Amino acid sequence: MADGKAGGTQSGEALLFLTDEQLRKGIEAMFFAYRGFTADPDRILEKYGYGRAHHRAVHFIARAPGTNVNNLLAILGVTKQSLNRVLRTLIEDGLVESRVGVQDKRERHLYLTETGQSLEAELSEAQRARMRVAYRDAGHEAVAGFRRVLEAMMDPDQAAYFNAMSKTGSKKEE
Amino acid sequence: MADGKAGGTQSGEALLFLTDEQLRKGIEAMFFAYRGFTADPDRILEKYGYGRAHHRAVHFIARAPGTNVNNLLAILGVTKQSLNRVLRTLIEDGLVESRVGVQDKRERHLYLTETGQSLEAELSEAQRARMRVAYRDAGHEAVAGFRRVLEAMMDPDQAAYFNAMSKTGSKKEE
DNA sequence: CTTGGAATGTCAACAACGCTGACTTAAAGT
DNA sequence: ACTTTAAGTCAGCGTTGTTGACATTCCAAG
């Protein structure tokens, strides 16, 4: 049970000796970093009268164009009503297009319009810029470690979505 | 300008060659990891009818007992009214004690009661447990990298608070 | 001593974004 | 035909953030 992917945690060596104080610092680092992480998009969204929920929807639609509502629901982990409220405003404002499915006409496939893509690009670029700077400041190996810890921190099902999205454009059915 | 603390980014070598796709993965990793990070405390808080705001207040009061409201405001980055609502319920429920300042009687110094400490311990232990597992799975060097990237991702003023809190029990005045 | 301003607290109103529950419509599966 | 599924909608509620206005208390400067 203790022999996960960290193959080398033999007790002879350093053994990842972790004080509560070190763990607490990690917790606080997550708190402060997440605030930085969302600060730039939040500023941009405010200009357009949107919130973080809109950002998330736009992000994952950009990531998987043509995805349906149920799929988005599962990724975002919110209720249908919550997502719908956000999605409706995005569609009304002409940022998202909802196309009825061809094979299954119950499904709505979601796409970003030109306007939607441009907002997504603005948000994404701001966030990537911060990430780029952080990565550069921290160095190459730090980035690998960063990603490894974050993945280990996810819930297993969330990690599954995360890894599934690695194959960027793998639209299994089309 | 490009020569920050990452002294070794000479273009000859790897140069931290970062595609937008890699950065995007980092962004999504932050999103999913933060959800995991808050999942356990959220479940506990629900039992008591509290939310994340209560958790944050309790955490930082535990971290710096005797802190005043203005200080907490600055760390949490919310308005006085927002914090006050949370603080009031915590005081009413007997989790937090508010003592009038001795030198400056306008100030209220905040402390956790026994009950408050026990909730804090429950929340903190859940969160530390996840962090501990993530750290162990990711390995020793990954942890250092994780922390380095998170620090670089913070806003400078938030990073200042973060680093100031490293000296755990530095109660300058008492 | 009076007055200005800082620290705190309170009230009201509002917005974003979660939630539950109930219900409809349409299409698909059986 | 009947059931299930996907999606959308309406109503209502809770947490947590925001402004704005205002009272109180107290320190400190004039």
Side-chain angles (χ1 to χ4, degrees):
Chain A
M1 193 206 219
D3 46 33
K5 62 179 77 161
T9 44
Q10 294 85 353
S11 59
E13 206 240 319
L15 179 64
L16 244 307
F17 150 81
L18 296 166
T19 65
D20 281 2
E21 184 49 32
Q22 284 173 300
L23 294 167
R24 192 176 267 262
K25 282 298 281 185
I27 289 167
E28 286 173 3
M30 272 298 279
F31 170 69
F32 287 115
Y34 197 76
R35 284 249 299 261
F37 172 71
T38 54
D40 303 326
D42 282 354
R43 268 187 291 272
I44 294 167
L45 290 159
E46 207 181 346
K47 293 192 305 182
Y48 300 96
Y50 294 130
R52 266 183 218 179
H54 300 83
H55 183 189
R56 291 197 279 267
V58 163
H59 175 98
F60 285 108
I61 293 172
R63 184 64 150 165
T67 190
N68 62 31
V69 175
N70 258 357
N71 192 10
L72 205 49
L73 242 38
I75 290 170
L76 296 176
V78 296
T79 58
K80 167 180 70 161
Q81 295 91 328
S82 246
L83 176 59
N84 197 258
R85 180 169 36 196
V86 164
L87 228 36
R88 203 188 323 154
T89 71
L90 290 173
I91 292 168
E92 280 169 5
D93 296 354
L95 298 177
V96 168
E97 195 191 343
S98 167
R99 295 185 207 154
V100 172
V102 187
Q103 292 171 359
D104 187 336
K105 292 182 199 159
R106 290 171 306 178
E107 294 182 347
R108 307 298 144 93
H109 297 270
L110 303 168
Y111 299 87
L112 293 184
T113 63
E114 294 251 321
T115 321
Q117 282 172 23
S118 112
L119 174 61
E120 199 280 329
E122 188 180 355
L123 292 167
S124 181
E125 179 41 38
Q127 210 156 29
R128 270 182 283 122
R130 184 180 289 253
M131 198 61 93
R132 206 179 287 120
V133 171
Y135 274 12
R136 198 187 51 209
D137 285 5
H140 184 261
E141 289 158 49
V143 170
F146 167 73
R147 283 279 300 279
R148 225 184 331 270
V149 174
L150 288 191
E151 263 192 72
M153 213 183 297
M154 296 175 195
D155 275 342
D157 36 333
Q158 293 173 7
Y161 280 113
F162 175 71
N163 287 310
M165 269 181 310
S166 295
K167 302 92 189 175
T168 313
S170 82
K171 21 180 68 176
K172 52 201 81 153
E173 38 77 35
E174 96 69 26
Chain B
M1 192 210 218
D3 46 31
K5 65 179 73 162
T9 44
Q10 294 86 351
S11 59
E13 205 241 319
L15 179 62
L16 245 304
F17 149 81
L18 297 166
T19 63
D20 282 1
E21 184 50 30
Q22 284 174 300
L23 294 167
R24 192 177 266 259
K25 283 296 281 182
I27 289 167
E28 286 173 2
M30 273 299 277
F31 170 68
F32 287 115
Y34 198 77
R35 285 249 299 260
F37 172 71
T38 54
D40 303 325
D42 282 354
R43 267 186 292 271
I44 294 166
L45 291 158
E46 208 182 345
K47 293 192 306 181
Y48 301 95
Y50 294 130
R52 265 182 220 179
H54 300 85
H55 183 190
R56 291 197 278 266
V58 162
H59 174 98
F60 285 108
I61 293 171
R63 184 64 151 166
T67 189
N68 62 32
V69 175
N70 257 359
N71 193 10
L72 207 49
L73 243 39
I75 290 169
L76 296 175
V78 298
T79 58
K80 153 180 84 160
Q81 294 90 330
S82 238
L83 176 59
N84 196 258
R85 179 170 36 198
V86 164
L87 229 37
R88 202 189 323 150
T89 72
L90 290 173
I91 291 168
E92 280 169 5
D93 296 353
L95 298 177
V96 168
E97 197 191 342
S98 167
R99 296 186 207 154
V100 172
V102 187
Q103 292 171 358
D104 188 336
K105 293 181 198 158
R106 290 168 303 181
E107 295 183 348
R108 307 297 142 95
H109 298 269
L110 304 168
Y111 300 87
L112 293 185
T113 63
E114 293 251 321
T115 322
Q117 281 173 23
S118 112
L119 174 62
E120 198 281 329
E122 188 181 354
L123 292 166
S124 182
E125 179 42 38
Q127 210 156 28
R128 271 182 283 122
R130 184 180 288 254
M131 198 61 92
R132 207 178 288 120
V133 170
Y135 275 11
R136 198 187 51 209
D137 284 4
H140 185 260
E141 289 158 50
V143 170
F146 167 72
R147 283 278 300 278
R148 225 185 330 272
V149 174
L150 288 190
E151 263 192 73
M153 213 184 295
M154 296 174 195
D155 276 342
D157 35 333
Q158 293 174 6
Y161 281 112
F162 175 72
N163 288 311
M165 270 183 309
S166 295
K167 303 93 190 173
T168 314
S170 82
K171 23 179 64 176
K172 53 201 81 153
E173 39 77 36
E174 92 74 19

